[in-house]
Amino acid sequence: MFEKVLVANRGEIAVRVMRACEELGIGTVAVYSEADKNAGHARYADEAYNVGPARAADSYLDGAAIVEAGEKAGADAVHPGYGFLAENADFAARVEDSEMTWVGPSSGSMEQLGEKTSARKEMAAADVPTVPGTEDPVESADEIREFADEAGYPVAIKAEGGGGGRGLKVVENEDEIEDQFESAQREGEAYFDNSSVYVEKFLESPRHIEVQIIADHHGNVRHIGERDCSLQRRQQKVIEEGPSPALTDDLRAEIQEAARRGADAADYYNAGTFEFLVEDADRNEDGLLDEGSSFYFLEVNTRIQVEHTVSEELTGIDIVKQQLRVAAGAELPFAQDDVELDGHAIEFRINAENAAEEFAPATGTLDTYDPPGGIGVRLDDALRQGDDIGGDYDSMIAKLIVWGQDREECLIRSRRALAEFDIEGITTIIPFHRLMLDDEAFAAGEHTTNYLDEELDPERIDEAQEKWGADETDGDDEDEEVTKRDFVVEVNDKRFEVNLEEHGAPPVQASSGGSGGNTQQLSSAGPSGGSDDGGSSSASTAEGEQVTAEMQGTILDVNVAAGDEVAAGDVLCVLEAMKMENDVVASHGGEVVEVAATEGESVDMGDVLVVLD
């Protein structure tokens, strides 16, 4: 077994992996950006190393810096978690070429299955049904038109290296092709360093079913049940559960076997998830989808999933520990017949978002952070009360996983757990989750992937936010008599904590990236995740109107130049913040006096992007 593992990630998944390492007697190494110097995963690890500035491209996506940190720390393995470089075959190869072991499938397998077109070909050869689509990447909008004319609208343009809804654009008609084609390419380049896209028929009302796979180097391939991820907003999963409330046992077994067969044919090892879409069509007398329903392979996630916790709660199998053991060369200790599903489990993503404002990301300080407990309740997080939630990375605060003997008990227990979850100082989607537990379609398990976007009344979300939303007020430590000073120092890029107490001294006014009383939000609308108010604000000056960024982020595209004439609503530039692409638009017509933003630049809240006359 390994002696020391570097976790090439941040947040709750980094801590999740470190906890598994600790139980196995393995030392842990964290990497962190300058924005994460005080983050939970850096605090938790045995050692922590700075790998660059806040911008992910210069830190968590800098493979060379991460490998260098691992070598400096003397790590003998690298676990990527999910997101960032977890599905980057080049990074996996870099680790494989070092003295460290890659905790995941081989870089060759990742390349083969991570690129969606080659994965589709691989699955088709293994007799796994695939959604009708192009076998190779498309190079132009004309190719998309040709496919759509033959297959019919809507179609989905998808980033070849994509996942989690990133780089996926749904085209309803011919007029949308050009813009959505460019947007999908842009997101693919930004998130996966791969601008190639392909096209497939878009299934309008499917169930999203995924199968957890674990395989070793000795030819053993196991599936660990399936999860239903059908409750989504713009292809982003919000609530996941297992087993699926919509499938018969026969259809469930057929999908699980297809995933196992696909993994075996691809010579896959370590953890992975095979995702499928099931057409919501043929139902039996109990209202369940049976063997007459069509299901299609969607993609393979060549890593641990956010929702892996559901499968762990159902089976008692620690998937992360199995990842580490498989990477170390061990054989899986259980047969397929040993895998039994017990009860029902649901995972709720506790995101720093305002569901009543189109799930706009929020920043602030966790003035109160009091999670629930009790039987059947699990919480995966990396936070503590007083921590700041910035806008540099994903908006997830924590994952709440609830288990019950059956789905009914799980729903009841979930209502109790969410009611107990006390967060103040920042807006979260807990009110939305509480609404869904009282929603007839979700409670009955009848929802599909388009339920949130097309069927749920938005006014119900507004009402839930008003009813259950927490007050966003800062704590008051004015009367504190003992001043505590926490310092973080770095020696040769290695992080050390120094804690001091001073009695009778005036309190230190700590600065942070945001406060609970001044939560910044970006609204979004349309498939691109853009917003009517563009993720920007404006202020008039003698030189003209300054259009400024409402949140820290990265400029993905600049659409104007000095001297251009623009009309109200024209897109000036595109700002990516917390994994959302936001159009910065002109509030009125006029001439562009100055363009302060440049493509690829990181900007802070309040930075001037464009000046209009």
Side-chain angles (χ1 to χ4, degrees):
M1 183 50 72
F2 307 119
E3 294 184 3
K4 187 184 291 188
V5 170
L6 180 143
V7 183
N9 217 294
R10 66 179 301 280
E12 64 82 21
I13 186 57
V15 173
R16 165 71 185 94
V17 174
M18 292 173 191
R19 283 173 171 154
C21 288
E22 185 173 4
E23 292 179 16
L24 291 171
I26 301 172
T28 55
V29 180
V31 292
Y32 65 93
S33 71
E34 291 175 2
D36 273 347
K37 183 178 293 186
N38 295 304
H41 73 287
R43 296 191 299 254
Y44 191 94
D46 297 323
E47 303 174 53
Y49 291 81
N50 187 331
V51 290
R55 186 169 179 257
D58 300 321
S59 51
Y60 294 111
L61 292 174
D62 187 342
I66 291 172
V67 168
E68 181 181 350
E71 292 172 338
K72 185 183 298 185
D76 48 4
V78 174
H79 192 300
Y82 56 72
F84 293 127
L85 294 170
E87 292 185 276
N88 187 306
D90 290 338
F91 177 64
R94 184 189 291 269
V95 174
E96 290 169 342
D97 290 340
S98 73
E99 297 298 317
M100 297 178 289
T101 299
W102 172 251
V103 182
S106 70
S107 59
S109 182
M110 290 176 65
E111 185 173 7
Q112 180 73 8
L113 295 176
E115 293 184 351
K116 311 309 179 189
T117 51
S118 59
R120 287 163 56 85
K121 294 176 183 176
E122 186 86 33
M123 293 303 104
D127 197 27
V128 177
T130 60
V131 180
T134 58
E135 292 189 355
D136 297 299
V138 295
E139 304 292 337
S140 68
D142 288 338
E143 292 182 62
I144 300 174
R145 290 190 185 91
E146 291 177 10
F147 176 82
D149 288 342
E150 181 177 340
Y153 291 95
V155 298
I157 305 174
K158 307 179 79 169
E160 189 173 30
R166 308 300 179 197
L168 188 159
K169 304 298 173 183
V170 179
V171 177
E172 301 286 351
N173 55 64
E174 184 177 357
D175 294 340
E176 298 177 356
I177 290 178
E178 290 280 357
D179 288 344
Q180 300 293 54
F181 177 46
E182 293 176 3
S183 183
Q185 287 182 312
R186 186 167 58 234
E187 284 192 12
E189 180 66 33
Y191 292 115
F192 311 106
D193 197 28
N194 182 354
S195 63
S196 295
V197 300
Y198 68 102
V199 190
E200 65 182 24
K201 177 64 180 172
F202 182 70
L203 303 181
E204 297 192 66
S205 298
R207 302 289 298 207
H208 186 131
I209 307 296
E210 61 185 29
V211 180
Q212 177 69 58
I213 290 292
I214 186 76
D216 60 26
H217 294 272
H218 306 277
N220 300 303
V221 181
R222 310 282 186 258
H223 70 72
I224 310 178
E226 101 288 350
R227 300 181 290 255
D228 193 316
C229 306
S230 299
L231 197 73
Q232 302 179 6
R233 176 185 174 271
R234 296 181 188 163
Q235 291 80 51
Q236 284 291 298
K237 301 168 187 174
V238 183
I239 298 176
E240 302 98 343
E241 63 181 307
S244 171
L247 306 182
T248 61
D249 289 340
D250 288 340
L251 181 57
R252 175 178 292 109
E254 190 176 344
I255 296 172
Q256 290 171 348
E257 174 54 28
R260 195 210 61 77
R261 187 169 65 247
D264 191 35
D267 294 326
Y268 191 92
Y269 60 79
N270 214 279
T273 300
F274 282 64
E275 302 199 352
F276 299 87
L277 296 178
V278 183
E279 283 191 311
D280 191 11
D282 196 1
R283 292 178 178 268
N284 65 11
E285 58 185 12
D286 296 321
L288 300 178
L289 299 172
D290 61 21
E291 288 181 288
S293 299
S294 298
F295 68 91
Y296 303 98
F297 168 80
L298 179 63
E299 63 185 9
V300 181
N301 293 122
T302 56
R303 53 168 169 80
I304 197 74
Q305 288 277 90
V306 176
E307 59 274 16
H308 74 278
T309 57
V310 170
S311 298
E312 290 181 331
E313 294 305 301
L314 293 175
T315 63
I317 296 172
D318 188 322
I319 298 172
V320 176
K321 283 185 180 179
Q322 294 303 327
Q323 281 191 288
L324 292 163
R325 288 171 174 145
V326 164
E331 189 172 355
L332 287 173
F334 56 90
Q336 186 62 66
D337 290 342
D338 296 330
V339 179
E340 296 182 357
L341 304 185
D342 179 24
H344 197 91
I346 302 178
E347 178 184 275
F348 301 89
R349 300 190 185 200
I350 310 301
N351 295 339
E353 298 171 358
N354 188 339
E357 295 290 340
E358 295 284 340
F359 290 79
T363 60
T365 300
L366 289 173
D367 296 327
T368 298
Y369 184 67
D370 188 9
I375 188 169
V377 175
R378 166 180 170 178
L379 192 83
D380 282 18
D381 65 7
L383 296 166
R384 65 187 178 193
Q385 190 163 295
D387 280 359
D388 293 330
I389 307 297
D392 297 292
Y393 312 111
D394 192 278
S395 59
M396 184 181 292
I397 295 175
K399 299 186 311 196
L400 173 66
I401 307 96
V402 181
W403 178 91
Q405 295 182 45
D406 52 33
R407 191 170 190 263
E408 182 179 0
E409 182 180 58
C410 190
L411 292 173
I412 293 171
R413 188 168 282 166
S414 296
R415 292 187 185 97
R416 186 264 297 170
L418 286 165
E420 289 180 5
F421 211 144
D422 187 9
I423 295 179
E424 293 182 1
I426 192 167
T427 303
T428 74
I429 61 171
I430 288 176
F432 166 80
H433 289 318
R434 297 181 70 175
L435 168 65
M436 294 316 301
L437 291 175
D438 290 337
D439 181 77
E440 291 184 7
F442 180 79
E446 296 173 350
H447 56 286
T448 61
T449 55
N450 66 354
Y451 180 67
L452 293 185
D453 292 333
E454 300 179 14
E455 298 182 39
L456 184 68
D457 185 354
E459 290 187 6
R460 295 182 61 202
I461 300 179
D462 296 342
E463 293 168 358
Q465 187 65 41
E466 184 175 348
K467 180 178 180 180
W468 291 308
D471 292 333
E472 297 168 26
T473 56
D474 285 332
D476 187 358
D477 58 1
E478 232 173 24
D479 299 324
E480 186 175 19
E481 296 180 0
V482 179
T483 299
K484 297 181 179 181
R485 290 180 169 90
D486 296 335
F487 297 94
V488 175
V489 298
E490 293 176 0
V491 179
N492 294 329
D493 291 331
K494 186 174 181 180
R495 179 184 182 278
F496 298 89
E497 290 183 355
V498 180
N499 310 110
L500 299 177
E501 286 189 6
E502 189 172 353
H503 294 259
V508 177
Q509 298 298 320
S511 62
S512 68
S515 69
N518 187 30
T519 300
Q520 299 294 322
Q521 299 170 342
L522 294 177
S523 298
S524 60
S528 69
S531 66
D532 292 337
D533 54 7
S536 65
S537 60
S538 60
S540 297
T541 67
E543 292 78 22
E545 181 184 9
Q546 295 181 340
V547 181
T548 60
E550 281 192 349
M551 179 175 284
Q552 188 176 47
T554 302
I555 301 297
L556 293 184
D557 197 18
V558 178
N559 295 355
V560 294
D564 287 352
E565 291 288 337
V566 296
D570 283 355
V571 178
L572 305 176
C573 57
V574 181
L575 172 67
E576 184 272 324
M578 295 178 81
K579 294 191 176 181
M580 291 183 67
E581 194 174 307
N582 302 272
D583 291 340
V584 177
V585 301
S587 60
H588 61 77
E591 180 183 349
V592 177
V593 177
E594 178 186 355
V595 178
T598 58
E599 186 175 332
E601 175 189 15
S602 294
V603 296
D604 290 321
M605 183 176 64
D607 283 358
V608 176
L609 305 179
V610 176
V611 179
L612 299 177
D613 186 5

